[in-house]
Amino acid sequence: MCGLSGEIRFDGRRPDLAAVGRMTDRLAARGPDGRGMWTQGAVALGHRRLKIIDLSDLGAQPMTDADGEITGVFNGCVYNYRELREELGRLGHRFESTSDTEVVLHAYRQWGTACVERFYGMFAFALVEHRTGRVVLGRDRLGIKPLYLAPAPGRLRFASSLPALLAAGDVDTSVDPVAVHQYLSWHATVAPPHTILNGVRKLPPATVRVVEPDGGHRDHRYWQPSYTRRAEYADMGPDEWRDAVLESLRTAVRRRMVSDVPVGVLLSGGLDSSLIVALLAEEGQRGLKTFSVGFEAEGGEEGDEFRYSDRVAREFGTDHRRMMVPSSRVSAALDDAVAAMSEPMISHDVVAFHLLSEQVSKEVKVVQSGQGADEVFAGYHWYPDLASASREEEPDRYAETYFDRPHADLAKILQPHMLLRDDVSGRFVREHMAVPGAQTALDAALRLDTHVMLVDDPVKRVDNMTMAWGLEARVPFLDHELVELAAACPPELKLADGGKGVLKEAGRKLLPQEIVDRPKGYFPVPAIRHMAGPVLDRVREALEAPEAKKRGIFREPYVAELLAAPDEHRTKRGANALWQVALLEIWLQTHGIT
């Protein structure tokens, strides 16, 4: 797990090494264990290293293969790198390290861009062909690892975070109205290639981009599971599906133990993280370090679920740590969490993950986490309603159920120069739902949530907040083989038992009943949800700042209405509307965008 950066020139000029150096330095938190730079011809690469696999200097990056053909930078982990290394060795490749990065270089030499289809893991990379000057950019199937792009006349810059691109300078920082529309409609999700800034794009998940020396490029999307019932599973009943899911998850968890340093678990006490702990215990892990976080109650709302995480820790004998955060610390930590965001994210647990990651990183460098199970196995309360829709009704039903507000409401929220006449968020959903490969309305909704919303909301949150402290988070529920299996699973098995039915049945074989049957929990941060004193002060400061007035994204009467009753205005999804509006401004100001 690391941070990468680079610049490609298309105008005959040399790359700006100082700019690449600034990007690399801005990524220091993602890779505190080493710094490297490389340049040749029209390309420069930068890298910050977090030592997880091959702790020696032989694993340093940027890395060039033994024959001097390919140089690359890599972020993430290829969990099956040992098997690939053996296969490549039999094909005549020779290695100088035991790192997965070197395996990526040789895999590209052997199989070209098709190498990504052999990788089991999470990754983003940039590879340079010495002889042709061609640059290949790639991102993993579920977008667990980020890759941001800043195109400009005569050049392309790229980095593992948006703030790193800002550090390089000369970025168009005007606000993208399409992104604002999605942000306000879709619970802060902004789908690729957009970001909140016009001058920064992001490479979509499961995509390889080949960039030619003249600036032309072609994209190849190399993976998309079919959300249909597959013939090879036709004879499977509920018990067989339960066993298949459990075995696939067991493999996913085992894969994510590949490391040269200890691996812990972020344990909320919910079904998903508890299953990870149970499977690791089954594998013989003893003294497994587990970590939980809770928050001081506000507005009559509890902020911790320690009774559940404590129960799981006792059951499996883990070395458990729990952290209780007072409300006063939430407001103090807010700006640090926002500074770590590559894009604005409104979910309360951003601050929770940031604070927890700070403490966890003092004890381990790698953790497994339960993100993704609700999207992959239909765990949210709105899925039954979506499942009852016809394919024709599905786009409108999805928007009614999931969007924070309808398109028409934006007219009273946004200033005229930010308004779009077209409902771009609704159109995005309609176009996605119309793509072949989803058998039912629920299949189409799960495909959208897993491959778009999940990537640019919970997965991005976990990556940004953990990597702000040099902590690698691995997510077994996003193992691509498990996702493929879940996509083929009959919807009624996923919807059973209040959602995640097939996963709950798997859990009954390993977990205490009270953990499987507990009410679904979220990650509440009451001080933000209810705009407790210091948080409200910070929100008011941001919205009344000269930069906010000058930028003029939001209509002043609407902002005044929210500030007059900070805990009363909720979106259709239940988000605090004031927090959603303010967070965008806090993010822009924190990152120096005026």
Side-chain angles (χ1 to χ4, degrees), residues 1 24 32 48 59-60 90 141 166 195 213 229 240-241 296 339 352 360 399 445 489 520 524 544 563 565:
M1 189 76 71
T24 303
R48 295 293 313 208
R90 291 193 296 270
R141 295 170 180 82
L166 294 177
T195 76
R229 312 295 78 80
E240 289 83 6
W241 273 106
E296 185 179 339
V360 174
C489 181
K520 177 168 177 55
E544 294 177 350
L563 288 171

Side-chain angles (χ1 to χ4, degrees), residues 178 181 403 422-433:
V178 172
H181 195 290
F403 279 12
D422 182 23
D423 179 7
V424 294
S425 302
R427 175 158 52 85
F428 182 95
V429 170
R430 288 191 297 274
E431 291 174 352
H432 195 283
M433 296 287 186

Side-chain angles (χ1 to χ4, degrees), residues 39 53 110 125 158 204 216 291 311 314 331 383-384 399 452 523 555 571:
T39 186
I53 292 175
Q110 181 67 38
F125 60 75
F158 51 87
F291 307 88
R311 174 73 173 87
R314 288 195 304 270
S331 59
Y383 286 129
V452 181
F523 216 154
R555 289 183 177 271
T571 71

